[in-house]
């Protein structure tokens, strides 16, 4: 994993001092080779030991190891991007930067959700689809992705119970049981009502799957399985775009895994798409 991708993916779980170091490294990666650990500490107004501990926490032997790894990553990126940069127009600089940041967020999100976790989530949803129900909830903007994923599961023939009202969902899960799945979308994972719903669902012996940011949050602690999204940017109008892009990419991968997990689901998808097309025809 690229050291810059690793720093981005772990940033949301860092302490305040560690985030300052991470942001400096990410924003000044090209200049890092000119900084010693003491100079970096002085620039940030922190102790040298904080810099050393930061690098070791990321899995590097020390600051020189991190600096060398970052330099290698930049060199590889420069070599692969050179033709594209040579032809890019100045007017497209903003769009190219956004595309690159989205790609980085998607890569970081992919790396912090190992294949075995995605496989376990796909199997839990598939099992619930055969013998039970999949309950899905998201509030506010999270409901956009909850609603869309519920539709996709329905196209695969998986019975879904989707709601964006916490009171109605509480009533819905009163009929939940073992083998059912609750999929909770919550970017920050700190909505009290969603935590109560997750606890109630677990009392019904159902399995809770959460989709949140890659942070330590109350909802994630209640999850049997957790999908996490890594997306950070200092600009307030960019960060939501990165989160949305990385989240959609994660859900697309899960949907594809479900589609390819059985011929019956693939056949059901095609049949439902045909029915919908017939409904739309005049």
């Amino acid at each position: 994993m690229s050291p810059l991708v690793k720093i981005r993916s772990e940033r949301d779980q860092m302490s305040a001092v560690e985030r300052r170091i991470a942001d400096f490294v990410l924003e000044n990666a090209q200049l890092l080779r000119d900084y010693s650990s003491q100079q970096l500490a002085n620039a940030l107004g922190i102790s040298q030991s904080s810099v050393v501990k930061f690098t070791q926490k990321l899995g590097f032997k020390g600051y020189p190891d991190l600096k060398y790894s970052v330099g290698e990553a930049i060199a590889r990126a420069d070599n692969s991007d050179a033709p594209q940069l040579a032809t890019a127009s100045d007017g497209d600089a903003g769009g190219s930067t956004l595309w690159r940041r989205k790609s980085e967020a998607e890569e970081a999100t992919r790396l912090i959700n190992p294949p075995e976790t995605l496989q376990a989530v796909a199997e839990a949803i598939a099992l619930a689809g055969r013998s039970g129900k999949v309950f899905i909830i998201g509030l506010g903007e999270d409901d956009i992705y909850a609603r869309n994923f519920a539709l996709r599961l329905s196209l695969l023939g998986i019975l879904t119970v989707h709601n964006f009202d916490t009171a109605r969902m509480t009533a819905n899960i009163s009929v939940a049981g073992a083998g059912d799945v609750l999929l909770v979308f919550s970017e920050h994972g700190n909505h009290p009502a969603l935590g109560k719903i997750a606890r109630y669902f677990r009392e019904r012996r159902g399995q809770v799957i959460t989709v949140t940011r890659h942070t330590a949050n109350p909802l994630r602690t209640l999850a049997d399985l957790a999908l996490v999204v890594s997306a950070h940017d200092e600009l307030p109008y960019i960060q939501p775009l990165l989160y949305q892009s990385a989240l959609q990419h994660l859900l697309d991968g899960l949907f594809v895994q479900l589609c390819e997990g059985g011929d019956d689901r693939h056949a059901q998808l095609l049949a439902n798409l045909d029915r919908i097309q017939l409904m739309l025809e005049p």
Side-chain angles (χ1 to χ4, degrees):
M1 183 190 303
S2 161
L4 299 178
V5 171
K6 185 174 181 63
I7 291 171
R8 287 190 192 94
S9 66
E10 297 295 332
R11 184 191 181 280
D12 289 338
Q13 297 197 92
M14 294 178 181
S15 67
V17 171
E18 290 169 344
R19 284 198 297 271
R20 288 176 61 194
I21 302 172
D23 291 342
F24 185 92
V25 172
L26 292 172
E27 294 167 8
N28 301 278
Q30 295 279 3
L31 305 176
L32 196 64
R33 65 180 181 273
D34 299 325
Y35 280 81
S36 67
S37 58
Q38 185 61 63
Q39 288 172 324
L40 176 56
N42 292 341
L44 294 174
I46 59 176
S47 67
Q48 185 181 20
S49 63
S50 296
V51 175
V52 175
K53 289 177 182 178
F54 170 81
T55 59
Q56 292 174 341
K57 188 174 181 179
L58 288 171
F60 296 96
K61 295 179 181 178
Y63 178 75
D65 189 25
L66 169 65
K67 187 162 66 170
Y68 176 77
S69 184
V70 168
E72 277 196 326
I74 291 173
R76 286 195 300 269
D78 287 344
N79 289 335
S80 61
D81 292 347
Q84 179 183 347
L85 293 175
T87 59
S89 64
D90 293 339
D92 190 43
S96 298
T97 299
L98 178 59
W99 177 87
R100 177 176 56 81
R101 296 292 287 119
K102 283 185 175 183
S103 298
E104 291 167 349
E106 290 170 4
E107 181 185 3
T109 297
R110 177 179 61 82
L111 291 171
I112 59 177
N113 291 279
E116 53 269 25
T117 298
L118 283 175
Q119 182 63 33
V121 171
E123 289 176 355
I125 292 174
L127 180 61
R130 286 194 295 270
S131 58
K133 300 171 289 298
V134 177
F135 297 81
I136 302 180
I137 186 170
L139 306 180
E141 289 191 3
D142 290 309
D143 181 56
I144 297 173
Y145 300 93
R147 183 186 301 270
N148 181 261
F149 196 66
L151 173 60
R152 288 185 171 187
L153 293 185
S154 296
L155 291 174
L156 294 177
I158 295 175
L159 177 59
T160 61
V161 181
H162 164 257
N163 216 313
F164 56 86
D165 184 282
T166 55
R168 291 184 179 181
M169 181 57 82
T170 301
N172 287 336
I173 63 177
S174 65
V175 298
D180 289 342
V181 164
L182 171 65
L183 193 57
V184 187
F185 289 77
S186 179
E187 179 176 354
H188 300 289
N190 55 14
H191 197 290
L194 294 179
K196 292 176 182 178
I197 288 174
R199 291 188 186 91
Y200 182 33
F201 195 82
R202 295 191 68 175
E203 290 174 5
R204 306 292 300 174
R205 295 183 299 148
Q207 195 168 19
V208 176
I209 300 173
T210 60
V211 185
T212 69
R213 277 190 173 274
H214 185 39
T215 57
N217 58 73
L219 188 60
R220 188 176 170 187
T221 62
L222 297 171
D224 297 292
L225 293 167
L227 296 176
V228 289
V229 177
S230 175
H232 168 73
D233 196 278
E234 290 301 319
L235 298 176
Y237 55 88
I238 295 294
Q239 182 161 276
L241 302 180
L242 302 185
Y243 179 82
Q244 294 158 13
S245 177
L247 172 57
Q248 190 60 63
H249 190 72
L250 176 63
L251 295 176
D252 288 346
L254 179 58
F255 177 70
V256 169
Q257 199 157 340
L258 285 165
C259 288
E260 296 176 347
D263 293 336
D264 55 338
R265 287 199 293 273
H266 188 241
Q268 185 69 61
L269 172 65
L270 295 178
N272 280 330
L273 290 176
D274 286 341
R275 292 189 186 98
I276 291 173
Q277 185 60 40
L278 289 174
M279 289 286 293
L280 297 176
E281 291 177 357

